[in-house]
Amino acid sequence: MGSGLSLHVPEPEVRPGGAPDFSGVKIARAGTVRRPPVDVDPSEIRDLAFSIIRVLNRNGEAVGEWAGTLTDEETLAGLKTMMRVRAFDRRMLMAQRQGKTSFYMQCLGEEAIACAFRKALEPGDMNFPTYRQQGLLIADDYPLVDMMCQIYSNRRDPLKGRQLPIMYSSKSHGFFSISGNLATQFVQGVGWAMASAIKGGKDIAAAWIGDGSTAESDFHAGMVFASTYKAPVVLNIVNNQWAISTFQGIAKGGSGTFAARGLGFGIPSLRVDGNDYLAVHAAAKWAVERARRNLGPTLIEWVTYRAAAHSTSDDPSAYRPKEETDAWPLGDPVKRLKNHLILRGAWSEERHVQAEAEIDAEILAAQKEAESHGTLHTGPKPSVRDMFEGVYEEMPPHLRRQRQEAGV
């Protein structure tokens, strides 16, 4: 019979101190993955769950069937949005280190996903995001000062101190309240999409989840309902390789790719270069059109890399090589789009440097205005009265008594 059983525990390719190794990331040449019709039968595109849709090649050229969804002007606007997100993250990270807020999470290296995806949506569509999709708001021109006031939990906090820093919410900008409980947004997004279909509306939903959270039961419940009821929803898995300190192989299991999870549910599944702004927009537009034409859900795995720490409470040097970020084979989304626009003659290094300075000044001005309303340890806070309001349509007697006792 041989030796006894042994438990298989997946291990990352390399540990701190070792040489980064991404040889297991199979990358198709840009432009080689076909673009199927929007109404394609899911059984005919199963292979797309195992490849990677890419538009920008190594030279910065946009190639293949997925290219051409944006003009140069729209692409330049996308570049500036990503630069704005990155500058925003940089200032807020610094503010946390200065004690002005208790917590922050960057999306460094992942900016293209949220920024490009937002441009494929219409007013009325609703995102159910995780905590690294701030680009959805910034790409939709949500006020930077309001975002900062929420992070500082000051007197102008739109959420009146009821949410942790970076857990934004804006119905008018199609951004459902972020939940600190992982994977809850996924099944809620499917439910919202089902409700839109029941009402005969035209609005679709986009549900978001990280690679690690696909191990949660809510992910699978959302997939079942989306598949069964053909909900008008785009199901986004942001595979940034790390679930805090746990590498993506733990949650992925033996499925090969996260996109392949959709195949068993009969959901068309794509795998996309998440650091390629043009590829993200093209794939998002395809999936959004499919949902709006009542053809059902699409699952998309965005292949990217979390270049920064998981949060301000994390030290990635404890579990991955410091050089790993630079070794990531899909590069930096901002640099790649910048090089493409320069190649097109629509941008230059000089204009890029100037734009960086202008954006930094814009973010700094917004920060100064936000801090004039208070920070974590300075200035006025939301009123105690706020915690009694916005919960019940008619305040019950026991809360009225408590408010009176508090003198507010």
Side-chain angles (χ1 to χ4, degrees):
M1 294 293 292
S3 58
L5 299 173
S6 62
L7 181 66
H8 170 67
V9 180
E11 290 281 344
E13 296 292 337
V14 63
R15 294 289 189 180
D21 181 8
F22 288 109
S23 59
V25 181
K26 305 301 180 185
I27 302 173
R29 283 193 305 112
T32 59
V33 178
R34 74 188 190 284
R35 184 187 185 279
V38 171
D39 60 354
V40 67
D41 188 293
S43 65
E44 297 178 11
I45 58 170
R46 293 175 63 89
D47 59 304
L48 299 190
F50 299 96
S51 189
I52 297 182
I53 295 168
R54 300 175 61 223
V55 171
L56 290 173
N57 65 19
R58 301 294 182 187
N59 297 323
E61 300 165 313
V63 296
E65 297 177 7
W66 293 89
T69 61
L70 292 168
T71 64
D72 284 348
E73 291 75 17
E74 291 168 332
T75 303
L76 179 56
L79 174 64
K80 291 181 178 179
T81 299
M82 288 197 292
M83 293 167 67
R84 190 169 287 110
V85 171
R86 188 164 291 189
F88 181 92
D89 276 353
R90 189 165 54 247
R91 295 301 308 185
M92 291 298 95
L93 176 65
M94 190 183 305
Q96 191 278 334
R97 298 307 191 206
Q98 293 169 341
K100 296 176 180 179
T101 183
S102 60
F103 183 74
Y104 193 71
M105 302 183 80
Q106 300 180 80
C107 62
L108 184 64
E110 303 176 34
E111 296 92 345
I113 299 169
C115 292
F117 189 93
R118 184 63 188 83
K119 292 305 180 181
L121 297 175
E122 297 290 341
D125 296 338
M126 184 62 70
N127 283 284
F128 288 76
T130 68
Y131 37 64
R132 222 180 296 278
Q133 275 81 55
Q134 52 265 53
L136 292 171
L137 287 173
I138 295 176
D140 199 44
D141 297 324
Y142 185 83
L144 299 177
V145 173
D146 288 354
M147 291 180 71
M148 292 176 177
C149 287
Q150 193 282 325
I151 293 167
Y152 290 143
S153 301
N154 60 26
R155 68 178 175 185
R156 224 187 96 175
D157 176 2
L159 305 183
K160 304 182 185 300
R162 293 170 178 163
Q163 281 275 65
L164 288 168
I166 62 89
M167 293 190 179
Y168 318 103
S169 175
S170 177
K171 183 177 181 180
S172 62
H173 286 265
F175 195 94
F176 198 84
S177 306
I178 295 178
S179 168
N181 298 316
L182 300 179
T184 59
Q185 307 293 72
F186 210 72
V187 70
Q188 291 166 358
V190 173
W192 192 96
M194 290 169 60
S196 181
I198 289 170
K199 292 186 294 184
K202 296 185 180 299
D203 301 329
I204 70 159
W208 297 82
I209 199 167
D211 52 280
S213 298
T214 61
E216 294 280 353
S217 58
D218 275 347
F219 169 78
H220 300 277
M223 295 288 283
V224 169
F225 276 78
S227 171
T228 299
Y229 297 101
K230 298 191 183 302
V233 60
V234 182
L235 304 164
N236 297 284
I237 302 174
V238 180
N239 177 11
N240 66 13
Q241 313 303 311
W242 290 95
I244 310 183
S245 59
T246 303
F247 88 113
Q248 49 95 20
I250 296 291
K252 184 174 64 177
S255 63
T257 70
F258 287 96
R261 294 273 178 86
L263 301 181
F265 294 95
I267 296 175
S269 303
L270 308 178
R271 196 160 178 258
V272 182
D273 180 350
N275 289 20
D276 181 340
Y277 187 95
L278 301 184
V280 172
H281 182 267
K285 186 177 181 180
W286 188 91
V288 166
E289 182 182 347
R290 186 178 178 88
R292 212 175 308 277
R293 286 172 56 178
N294 213 35
L295 296 171
T298 302
L299 179 71
I300 306 180
E301 175 189 350
W302 306 105
V303 183
T304 184
Y305 185 82
R306 194 197 76 211
H310 174 75
S311 72
T312 50
S313 303
D314 175 45
D315 176 13
S317 67
Y319 53 83
R320 69 186 192 189
K322 293 182 179 180
E323 303 82 8
E324 194 171 86
T325 299
D326 294 333
W328 175 242
L330 294 177
D332 177 88
V334 173
K335 292 179 181 178
R336 289 176 66 186
L337 197 61
K338 178 193 74 172
N339 292 340
H340 168 69
L341 285 165
I342 291 174
L343 186 67
R344 297 274 302 170
W347 201 231
S348 67
E349 289 287 358
E350 293 76 19
R351 292 166 70 186
H352 191 83
V353 171
Q354 181 182 354
E356 284 181 323
E358 292 170 351
I359 289 170
D360 283 343
E362 174 193 356
I363 301 299
L364 181 58
Q367 183 179 14
K368 288 181 178 178
E369 182 180 346
E371 291 181 3
S372 72
H373 300 287
T375 65
L376 179 63
H377 296 298
T378 64
K381 302 294 189 297
S383 170
V384 174
R385 182 187 181 91
D386 291 339
M387 70 176 165
F388 294 97
E389 299 177 347
V391 179
Y392 296 97
E393 183 177 5
E394 294 185 15
M395 190 176 297
H398 73 283
L399 287 184
R400 285 202 299 270
R401 288 195 300 270
Q402 290 178 22
R403 190 178 67 178
Q404 290 167 357
E405 292 170 3
V408 293

